[in-house]
Amino acid sequence: MSPASDNPAIDTIIDRLKDLPGALLPILHEIQHTVGYVPAESVPSIATALSLSRAEVHGVISFYHHFHSEPMGQHTVQICRAEACQAVGARELEQHATRKLSTELGCTTADGTVSLEPVYCLGNCACGPSVQIGDEVHARVTPERFDTLISGLEKKQ
Amino acid sequence: MITVYVPRDTTACALGADAVAEAIKAEAAKRNLALNLVRNGSRGLFWLETLVEVATDKGRVAYGPVNAADVSALFDAGFLEGKDGHLALGLTEEIPYLKNQQRINFARAGIIDPLSVDDYTAHGGYAGLTRALAMQPQAIVDEVKESGLRGRGGAAFPAGIKWQTVHDTPPQQKYIVCNADEGDSGTFADRLLMEADPLQLIEGMTIAGLAVGATQGYIYLRSEYPKAHAVLQAALANAYAAGYLGDNIAGSGKHFDLEVRLGAGAYICGEETSLLDSLEGKRGMVRAKPPLPAIVGLFGQPTVINNVLTLASVSSIFEKGAAHYKSLGVGRSTGTLPMQLAGNIKRGGIVELAFGSTLRSLLEDFGDGTLSGKAIKAVQVGGPLGAYLPESALDISLDYESFAAASAMLGHGGVVVFDDSADMLEQARFAMEFCVVESCGKCTPCRVGSTRGVEVIDKIRAGEQRDDNLILLEDLCETMEFGSLCAMGGLTPFPVRSAIKHFPEDFGG
Ligand SMILES: Cc1cc2nc3c(=O)[nH]c(=O)nc-3n(C[C@H](O)[C@H](O)[C@H](O)COP(=O)(O)O)c2cc1C
Ligand code: SF4
Ligand code: FES
């Protein structure tokens, strides 16, 4: 038995996936998908279930840009920083976005609405600049369009 | 009933395809018209997305780029009968951008319903597997060798030779791993293939399993591709249901299982040994070679690891035969390469051509110049580790050998165009910065060299001891090139050096 993590949803995920070969990434994905991030309190249970040290589990979480060990904003907005988007104004868009949201890449707005994250390519390189909000990619995102997308999120509050 | 096609592909949806599909349904209901709406993959003509197609007696007729607001006008103009008028492009197959391609990997893209096994088989799918099932494993490997197929992930290593090594290891648990990490900026061919024709990849991996005696496959897909993930999951379920995967493939008694695993936003996990570590649930650290993954691969077992396009090509090689495949291309670059036109380009998308056309023809005849209308300043081919080519170098032939001779890299076929507003010092700086962000950290030249590289470029920009710092930068490049374990650190100098060489004016020269 794994030690309980105080979160039954997390324990269920670990129990369900722990016997997969190479189970750690699938477990982390599922936890982040369900909880929104990978809470520190889940690390000991994962470690026990997979016979790893806590340091090893922590090392994996911190290695991958996708996994977060802190709660995220209500919406995750990823701005593509890679070359094909740079060629059509991604640098300007990034500056605009950080000004507009008064936050840095990799941070969450003061009101907790938006986490602004860098991403290196979304496979939409023919129609950049690209922005992903949740699971939705947006193409040809000008600063104006960025503002429209953000005000759409704020309305969803 | 009339069939209307609206793509479900990432780029089409990013340009509003879902809203277009909804608008078409709503408008049809309002007008009391029955229609069959299929969400196809994309044809890869992204500059025309959302590209709506209608099936007519003469063939499919295209309209685009369509926005939701155009839909009612399309109905008024009689698009359901394929009439000319609003946004009409005529027969899809006659659009020159498509017609002038030589599509093998993308022959079915946008034509079929990506999830339908019936559609797939009706368009030649699984004919290759049927043939392979009647062959001995060695004969399958020989056919791949005969085709001359080379890896499409970057290094262009002959696929058949890799397969032979795995085939020759003693019988034990072996694996087929598909590298679907597609981390290079400017590339989306893997994504489009998985979203538009996923069964082609599934079939290719199954054939690979038969060839080397592997019963388990994994597709390592980057987490940045949620749509491709959903399509692959659904296509896998359908392939299982139709008996093309599992323990009795197409009634042959042969066994192959296939699963998708997600990456987690690390560019280095596209490097094959780092990918294997990641699949095993570890940090994606690059392993020293030897041992080759073909001998000691996933979970220490013999493993074929190939790119999406490499494995997908196998299904058409078996459908049409190695000789047909080999008849396309030039020299040792056989078959076709799907080039991806990206960045500042008017007509971005997939252009699949036999090897041997020129970069200029690709950019001018297909791409139609820059999106901004300004002159082309630089083109980066082959992803973030590829060299920047100046306008004067665009007549280069699109094949592996010509690019290698020019200290450049064709790689996965991504072509990123920059107009004359680009600052090449910024681009060189970004190459170093990207290496800082994405280095796995194992070797000092890569990890520390790239950090120093950013600092030195900042000094050059500030005009501090320019000449000395340029020499220092070249020293750093040399250390990275020769002291790095993998191409992340080893090739980052290429975009940097090419920027300095071809655009000295941007470095204060
Ligand atoms: C830093 C780095 C990133 C790579 N990224 C990818 C990738 O995203 N996709 C891919 O197929 N190959 C990538 N490769 C190449 C793989 O290491 C490997 O050569 C490839 O998976 C072999 O398949 P192929 O022979 O079919 O090309 C990368 C290599 C390096 C050094
Ligand atoms: S070159 Fe960089 S990415 Fe490659 S193994 Fe060394 S540190 Fe890791
Ligand atoms: S570079 Fe931005 S989507 Fe590919």
Side-chain angles (χ1 to χ4, degrees):
Chain A
M1 275 299 289
S2 328
S5 68
D6 293 337
N7 184 334
I10 291 180
D11 293 331
T12 314
I13 291 169
I14 297 174
D15 252 20
R16 181 160 56 82
L17 299 176
K18 68 177 190 319
D19 294 325
L20 284 178
L24 184 49
L25 263 68
I27 288 175
L28 295 175
H29 271 295
E30 199 62 22
I31 292 176
Q32 178 153 308
H33 186 74
T34 312
V35 186
Y37 67 108
V38 184
E41 82 236 29
S42 63
V43 172
S45 339
I46 300 172
T48 312
L50 301 182
S51 306
L52 296 169
S53 71
R54 294 179 191 193
E56 282 170 310
V57 176
H58 183 73
V60 169
I61 297 171
S62 58
F63 181 84
Y64 294 98
H65 304 303
H66 180 82
F67 296 127
H68 302 287
S69 32
E70 300 294 328
M72 301 289 284
Q74 282 161 302
H75 305 279
T76 301
V77 175
Q78 293 178 302
I79 298 196
C80 178
R81 297 194 73 218
E83 289 89 342
C85 287
Q86 291 166 5
V88 284
R91 286 197 180 86
E92 294 71 20
L93 178 67
E94 180 183 325
Q95 281 177 7
H96 172 83
T98 50
R99 256 198 322 266
K100 161 96 184 164
L101 297 169
S102 315
T103 188
E104 294 301 309
L105 283 188
C107 300
T108 302
T109 52
D111 65 359
T113 325
V114 172
S115 291
L116 193 63
E117 293 285 316
V119 69
Y120 296 91
C121 194
L122 295 162
N124 183 51
C125 330
C127 300
S130 310
V131 167
Q132 182 158 250
I133 302 180
D135 268 358
E136 294 297 320
V137 178
H138 301 270
R140 300 270 185 243
V141 182
T142 56
E144 299 73 51
R145 207 161 126 61
F146 183 82
D147 292 352
T148 313
L149 290 169
I150 294 298
S151 63
L153 293 181
E154 284 160 355
K155 279 205 204 85
K156 273 195 216 155
Q157 294 306 297
Chain B
M1 204 178 348
I2 299 168
T3 301
V4 176
Y5 297 87
V6 180
R8 57 179 293 164
D9 146 275
T10 296
T11 290
C13 290
L15 290 164
D18 286 336
V20 170
E22 286 312 311
I24 290 176
K25 272 192 229 159
E27 195 67 30
K30 206 166 96 191
R31 296 176 188 230
N32 264 323
L33 296 167
L35 56 81
N36 174 26
L37 190 110
V38 175
R39 298 303 299 271
N40 56 336
S42 169
R43 300 271 191 163
L45 278 54
F46 290 135
W47 49 289
L48 291 173
E49 295 292 0
T50 300
L51 183 84
V52 175
E53 292 179 77
V54 180
T56 73
D57 296 343
K58 293 192 216 72
R60 284 199 202 169
V61 176
Y63 299 84
V66 177
N67 287 307
D70 298 311
V71 164
S72 118
L74 280 179
F75 275 84
D76 288 342
F79 93 115
L80 289 182
E81 292 104 73
K83 286 195 183 146
D84 265 355
H86 194 51
L87 300 174
L89 299 163
L91 291 171
T92 317
E93 304 285 344
E94 295 298 320
I95 298 173
Y97 195 97
L98 187 59
K99 192 176 182 177
N100 296 334
Q101 298 192 28
Q102 290 151 294
R103 287 192 163 191
I104 292 183
N105 288 138
F106 290 93
R108 279 179 292 257
I111 294 179
I112 58 169
D113 173 349
L115 303 183
S116 162
V117 177
D118 288 343
D119 253 18
Y120 182 65
T121 49
H123 287 83
Y126 280 126
L129 177 68
T130 307
R131 228 189 105 216
L133 279 170
M135 293 164 72
Q136 290 302 315
Q138 183 60 54
I140 302 178
V141 174
D142 288 343
E143 181 108 7
V144 174
K145 281 189 196 158
E146 177 57 29
S147 73
L149 175 66
R150 291 166 71 179
R152 299 289 189 255
F157 188 79
I161 294 180
K162 198 183 270 188
W163 290 25
Q164 185 71 60
T165 308
V166 180
H167 170 275
D168 292 348
T169 60
Q172 55 191 305
Q173 181 63 58
K174 301 178 186 180
Y175 296 102
I176 309 297
V177 172
C178 171
N179 188 339
D181 200 51
E182 196 163 59
D184 290 358
S185 166
T187 65
F188 40 78
D190 294 349
R191 178 185 68 65
L192 182 63
L193 189 121
M194 292 184 285
E195 291 182 13
D197 194 10
L199 289 160
Q200 186 185 163
L201 171 61
I202 294 169
E203 180 181 358
M205 291 184 75
T206 310
I207 296 173
L210 296 174
V212 304
T215 52
Q216 176 69 50
Y218 292 100
I219 300 172
Y220 184 90
L221 176 70
R222 67 201 304 253
S223 55
E224 291 88 344
Y225 283 178
K227 282 209 183 342
H229 187 214
V231 173
L232 276 175
Q233 294 285 33
L236 278 176
N238 292 347
Y240 268 104
Y244 282 109
L245 284 172
D247 52 17
N248 186 16
I249 303 162
S252 66
K254 302 265 172 55
H255 177 188
F256 190 67
D257 282 311
L258 189 50
E259 208 181 296
V260 186
R261 287 291 176 89
L262 284 181
Y267 178 76
I268 195 60
C269 288
E271 194 283 330
E272 56 188 11
T273 61
S274 162
L275 187 156
L276 294 176
D277 266 14
S278 182
L279 260 181
E280 291 178 8
K282 303 174 189 155
R283 307 161 58 165
M285 299 299 270
V286 174
R287 303 177 185 172
K289 286 185 272 194
L292 293 173
I295 295 169
V296 183
L298 185 62
F299 304 115
Q301 301 299 114
T303 302
V304 166
I305 173 162
N306 278 129
N307 173 256
V308 174
L309 298 179
T310 315
L311 289 163
S313 298
V314 167
S315 37
S316 48
I317 289 170
F318 279 81
E319 182 198 342
K320 301 221 172 82
H324 173 260
Y325 194 79
K326 208 178 162 179
S327 70
L328 298 166
V330 285
R332 295 198 303 116
S333 301
T334 64
T336 57
L337 184 64
M339 301 296 298
Q340 298 129 82
L341 282 177
N344 200 322
I345 188 86
K346 201 178 286 167
R347 298 179 167 182
I350 291 274
V351 181
E352 183 175 358
L353 295 171
F355 286 95
S357 61
T358 71
L359 184 56
R360 188 179 299 282
S361 149
L362 186 69
L363 294 169
E364 292 175 359
D365 303 342
F366 288 91
D368 201 23
T370 61
L371 180 70
S372 61
K374 295 182 181 173
I376 291 178
K377 177 167 182 174
V379 178
Q380 187 178 33
V381 183
L385 308 176
Y388 284 101
L389 300 171
E391 215 282 332
S392 59
L394 298 186
D395 292 309
I396 189 167
S397 161
L398 294 168
D399 65 84
Y400 294 124
E401 280 68 35
S402 301
F403 269 71
S407 298
M409 186 170 69
L410 202 44
H412 190 48
V415 177
V416 177
V417 181
F418 292 80
D419 74 8
D420 60 14
S421 66
D423 175 350
M424 300 312 292
L425 179 138
E426 278 295 331
Q427 296 312 122
R429 185 185 190 279
F430 179 79
M432 287 292 191
E433 187 189 350
F434 187 66
C435 189
V436 174
V437 176
E438 300 295 347
S439 166
C440 85
K442 194 161 186 166
C443 21
T444 317
C446 169
R447 191 183 66 235
V448 179
S450 54
T451 308
R452 292 279 289 126
V454 174
E455 292 163 10
V456 172
I457 293 174
D458 282 343
K459 286 190 184 145
I460 296 170
R461 177 165 55 190
E464 281 174 45
Q465 293 161 314
R466 176 182 170 274
D467 293 344
D468 289 349
N469 276 314
L470 276 172
I471 293 169
L472 182 55
L473 184 57
E474 174 49 34
D475 284 349
L476 277 171
C477 283
E478 201 160 302
T479 310
M480 288 174 74
E481 182 180 359
F482 296 106
S484 297
L485 182 59
C486 84
M488 178 83 233
L491 294 184
T492 292
F494 283 75
V496 176
R497 281 190 185 125
S498 58
I500 300 171
K501 177 174 171 201
H502 300 301
F503 309 95
E505 63 283 6
D506 287 356
F507 294 78

